[in-house]
Amino acid sequence: MTFLEIENLQKRFAHTTAVEHVQLEVSRGEFVSFLGPSGCGKTTTLRIIAGFESPSSGAIRLDGVDITHRPPNRRNVGMVFQSYALFPNMTVAENVGFGLKVAKKPAAVIRHTVEEMLNLIKLPTLGSRYPYQLSGGQQQRVALARALAIQPQVLLLDEPLSALDAKIRVSLRNEIRSIQRELGITTIYVTHDQEEALSLSDRIVVMSEGRVEQIGTPFEIYNFPRTSFVASFVGTLNILRGQVADPARGKILVDGQEVMASRGLEHARVGDGCSIALRPEVVSIGEAAEDGNRMQGTVEDVNFLGSIVRIRIRFKDNAISLDTFNNPRLSLPQRGQALTVSFPREAVLALEAPSST
Amino acid sequence: MNRGRLGSWIIILLGVMYFFVPLLSTFEFSLRYLRGVYSFEAYRIVLADPRFGATVTYSALLAFATILVGIFLVVPTAYWVQLRLPGLRPVVEFITLLPLVIPAIVLVFGYLRIYNSSSILPLTGAERTTDLLLIFSYVTLALPYMYRAVDNGLRAIDVRTLTEAAQSLGAGWPTILLGVILPNVRVAVLSGAFLTFAIVIGEFTMASLLNRPAFGPYLQNIGANRAYEPAALAIISFAITWACMGLIQVFGRGAQGPAAGAH
Ligand SMILES: Nc1ncnc2c1ncn2[C@@H]1O[C@H](COP(=O)(O)OP(=O)(O)O)[C@@H](O)[C@H]1O
Ligand SMILES: [Mg+2]
């Protein structure tokens, strides 16, 4: 059942349209990420849900109630900011208890909840510290506890890990996810980092230039991107350009070589230009299984990345990268060497025309 | 390099002399009340004069009132300009600088015309309402310093995000201003307050023309009629001003901790 509903949201600023026709239904307890490059309207959408901006048109409904025009302090929505935004004049405990104090809860209740929250974020002993005495990761955990202490209906996080260094980012994101699961709180998480979105989310909303490009599970987004934007933004991708040879059978010519796609050529005609996408990990060296695709090319480059070796192969106008696991028993191909590569039909993603044209 | 360093020392020395020679001379002169010996007789006489205590108290009270009104006026204004009307900042800054450009004497004549006893708002008609007028005029005089101090303090914290964090936790405007913003600009507000205090304590023009028993007019009155006491008074008011500056430093340092602002 839909818990948070974002209906046909639009936001225009003086010179830009930041958000256009954003439509989303989030179920109770779901973890949804907004993923997209900087400036695509993620923050604006989140701020509209929080009530810091009002939409030019559209509506926000929370648990069946229209909150589009409700001021932010009466929405019961928890917010975590990239810059932590802890109150510098208050201790950790006072920060976490702020929302409860504002709500005029009895002191004993506040004390108890604060203690509970500090245990939840695994900082039970730091209640009397001031924010400037904490590391960035600790500050963000306190900010999370502060947002959760008021038992919000929805938790909103705007790039909460961007200001932290890589190691802490990974451990804290797992912690956020496990706390979210424990509390079963409906969560919207804004990020420009595809790895974060893929590893955390129940569903991902991929955005570009104010519009929703695709909504789906991480599995769907990664394996079946619907637009070339999604395909190229999420994961590494080979894009090959060719012409449609037989739309009914899904046959495409790439640099004169035949490639069979498994789907997506319904509306094409013979001779149309088209693009297909291939993940580096689906391409392998050597002959294919019976109905697979095979192409001949020349090794252009070999990159040793540790556990993975990335090999670049050129056909004519097109080139692809493929990943193989490093295996000390196999010899690596040499630059300039002719090589046959293969990939299954199902791995060929025929892309829709970019949505901006 | 040596000559360059010598040059800067000479300049520093000249600067120090420029400030301290008159001060030391005044101090030395203030000690010569009794013929042939140095003494604090002039200070004793000044401090024993009941008008000294009365005018200092009066001015101090007015200074506190001025500070309160000033904070009440400036903090929300500067906050709102920073939060919602950043485009208006140059206009507001210009307005707050006007008291530095318009002489106090012009201001006070304006007041006397507008608020005289035969006007719609006869503030000068009674002593208490004249005090009120004097407080408002002091707020105006202190505005450039107060506004600048508070504005700098607000710039040092992330006003917008802190406001939004408080809002999302359910806080309304009074809580945000008093509980979140004000404590985090405490140092800035205090330094504005001490500057205001220093200005009000020594102010002459307004108090004199509005005919109120403030410290400034008393200072002038003594200066016109006595020899040694004005020097002693000058030193005393210097001491008061310096004490204010010292307090700014103390509070500024004390606030390295919690109220030092966002990191
Ligand atoms: N207050 C504002 N005034 C004008 N333009 C804005 C404002 N906030 C955001 N924008 C514009 O809206 C677009 C989307 O911004 P934002 O939602 O912050 O993107 P993201 O969070 O995805 O990086 C950008 O082009 C940005 O410049
Ligand atoms: Mg953003």
Side-chain angles (χ1 to χ4, degrees):
Chain A
M1 201 199 81
T2 303
F3 183 61
L4 173 67
E5 188 182 357
I6 300 168
E7 191 190 291
N8 201 8
L9 211 60
Q10 269 205 57
K11 178 68 186 180
R12 283 183 293 273
F13 290 110
H15 304 289
T16 41
T17 301
V19 176
E20 242 182 311
H21 304 302
V22 168
Q23 181 93 27
L24 176 69
E25 288 168 10
V26 182
S27 327
R28 198 186 286 271
E30 200 177 8
F31 193 117
V32 173
S33 292
F34 291 173
L35 174 66
S38 160
C40 73
K42 309 180 294 290
T43 297
T44 305
T45 310
L46 202 72
R47 290 171 57 79
I48 292 174
I49 300 172
F52 302 136
E53 306 274 0
S54 57
S56 308
S57 66
I60 308 283
R61 271 184 287 277
L62 184 55
D63 205 7
V65 182
D66 188 327
I67 58 164
T68 316
H69 301 292
R70 206 182 266 190
N73 57 339
R74 293 187 30 235
R75 285 197 183 198
N76 199 21
V77 161
M79 180 94 186
V80 175
F81 301 85
Q82 181 180 341
S83 57
Y84 324 137
L86 294 178
F87 305 126
N89 59 311
M90 298 179 202
T91 62
V92 165
E94 285 165 348
N95 264 283
V96 175
F98 181 85
L100 300 169
K101 201 171 152 209
V102 166
K104 301 206 163 57
K105 290 278 190 306
V109 173
I110 298 180
R111 207 173 329 112
H112 179 245
T113 311
V114 167
E115 202 173 302
E116 210 172 63
M117 286 297 138
L118 292 181
N119 283 330
L120 189 69
I121 57 164
K122 304 202 178 73
L123 298 175
T125 58
L126 298 189
S128 54
R129 295 252 190 113
Y130 281 94
Y132 75 99
Q133 296 169 314
L134 304 180
S135 72
Q138 291 172 328
Q139 288 190 51
Q140 195 58 298
R141 271 143 77 186
V142 173
L144 180 66
R146 181 179 68 176
L148 291 172
I150 57 168
Q151 298 191 314
Q153 288 174 285
V154 179
L155 177 66
L156 307 175
L157 305 103
D158 191 358
E159 314 225 6
L161 307 178
S162 303
L164 302 170
D165 48 37
K167 265 231 170 75
I168 297 183
R169 224 179 290 161
V170 172
S171 68
L172 190 49
R173 88 179 179 214
N174 293 332
E175 204 170 318
I176 289 176
R177 181 55 157 150
S178 81
I179 288 173
Q180 186 269 339
R181 283 220 172 91
E182 191 178 329
L183 302 180
I185 185 167
T186 313
T187 300
I188 296 189
Y189 186 101
V190 162
T191 179
H192 65 266
D193 181 336
Q194 43 134 338
E195 194 189 310
E196 256 172 40
L198 289 170
S199 67
L200 285 174
S201 320
D202 292 319
R203 280 193 303 157
I204 298 175
V205 178
V206 184
M207 293 180 69
S208 162
E209 292 173 11
R211 281 182 300 260
V212 172
E213 290 274 327
Q214 188 174 352
I215 301 178
T217 63
F219 185 85
E220 289 165 346
I221 296 284
Y222 189 87
N223 292 312
F224 309 111
R226 273 216 311 269
T227 65
S228 62
F229 174 83
V230 177
S232 58
F233 190 76
V234 183
T236 313
L237 201 71
N238 295 298
I239 305 268
L240 301 175
R241 285 176 220 294
Q243 293 85 41
V244 177
D246 185 347
R249 290 176 53 226
K251 189 159 90 181
I252 298 160
L253 286 178
V254 175
D255 289 344
Q257 306 190 47
E258 267 182 29
V259 173
M260 305 295 287
S262 57
R263 59 181 196 116
L265 291 173
E266 290 81 9
H267 306 295
R269 285 168 312 188
V270 176
D272 280 357
C274 75
S275 299
I276 58 168
L278 282 174
R279 300 274 180 213
E281 66 268 23
V282 302
V283 183
S284 45
I285 300 173
E287 292 294 327
E290 251 161 53
D291 68 337
N293 290 295
R294 79 180 63 84
M295 293 181 78
Q296 263 104 41
T298 335
V299 176
E300 193 174 68
D301 208 352
V302 179
N303 274 310
F304 189 70
L305 304 176
S307 64
I308 280 175
V309 183
R310 179 160 292 178
I311 301 165
R312 188 157 182 82
I313 292 155
R314 177 156 292 281
F315 305 114
K316 220 165 77 201
D317 299 330
N318 292 288
I320 60 168
S321 295
L322 70 85
D323 287 351
T324 63
F325 283 111
N326 172 28
N327 181 345
R329 280 190 242 161
L330 295 181
S331 60
L332 291 173
Q334 299 298 307
R335 287 175 58 184
Q337 181 187 333
L339 202 66
T340 302
V341 295
S342 56
F343 42 89
R345 287 176 71 142
E346 308 80 63
V348 177
L349 310 166
L351 299 174
E352 290 171 12
S355 56
S356 56
T357 52
Chain B
M1 187 191 117
N2 256 342
R3 276 177 56 195
R5 184 175 283 180
L6 188 67
S8 25
W9 276 114
I10 289 174
I11 289 172
I12 288 174
L13 196 69
L14 283 175
V16 168
M17 278 166 62
Y18 183 84
F19 283 109
F20 280 95
V21 168
L23 197 63
L24 286 175
S25 313
T26 308
F27 182 59
E28 196 263 353
F29 183 72
S30 73
L31 298 179
R32 293 209 298 207
Y33 190 89
L34 298 179
R35 199 176 292 266
V37 287
Y38 283 140
S39 72
F40 284 95
E41 186 61 15
Y43 291 86
R44 196 192 58 74
I45 292 171
V46 163
L47 293 176
D49 183 352
R51 284 178 305 164
F52 172 80
T55 56
V56 166
T57 311
Y58 178 82
S59 283
L61 278 177
L62 248 60
F64 283 124
T66 305
I67 288 165
L68 282 185
V69 176
I71 291 173
F72 196 75
L73 180 72
V74 167
V75 173
T77 308
Y79 169 68
W80 202 250
V81 166
Q82 187 133 326
L83 189 68
R84 291 290 155 85
L85 308 166
L88 229 58
R89 183 194 289 270
V91 180
V92 175
E93 278 186 355
F94 178 74
I95 292 174
T96 60
L97 285 179
L98 281 180
L100 290 183
V101 183
I102 299 172
I105 189 96
V106 175
L107 267 181
V108 77
F109 274 115
Y111 285 154
L112 286 172
R113 279 198 76 110
I114 293 177
Y115 300 115
N116 65 42
S117 44
S118 56
S119 68
I120 310 173
L121 200 62
L123 286 180
T124 56
E127 286 188 351
R128 285 289 85 84
T129 51
T130 311
D131 288 345
L132 221 54
L133 189 58
L134 195 53
I135 290 168
F136 292 147
S137 70
Y138 284 162
V139 170
T140 313
L141 285 187
L143 197 57
Y145 309 97
M146 194 55 143
Y147 186 83
R148 228 130 270 266
V150 170
D151 195 45
N152 282 338
L154 285 171
R155 276 182 216 220
I157 59 175
D158 186 351
V159 166
R160 186 165 114 151
T161 316
L162 288 183
T163 301
E164 288 176 353
Q167 275 183 314
S168 74
L169 294 166
W173 292 117
T175 313
I176 294 173
L177 264 174
L178 294 175
V180 176
I181 300 300
L182 199 56
N184 287 306
V185 292
R186 197 191 74 204
V187 177
V189 169
L190 275 175
S191 69
F194 290 127
L195 284 172
T196 304
F197 191 86
I199 291 168
V200 172
I201 278 292
E203 205 282 333
F204 167 75
T205 316
M206 299 273 187
S208 168
L209 286 167
L210 289 174
N211 198 21
R212 299 301 299 142
F215 184 58
Y218 170 72
L219 201 66
Q220 192 275 342
N221 180 266
I222 297 290
N225 300 307
R226 303 293 193 88
Y228 297 99
E229 290 90 332
L233 270 174
I235 296 296
I236 289 172
S237 48
F238 257 112
I240 293 175
T241 312
W242 281 356
C244 284
M245 299 299 167
L247 284 177
I248 295 179
Q249 294 297 317
V250 170
F251 279 95
R253 204 148 314 127
Q256 286 300 320
H263 291 256

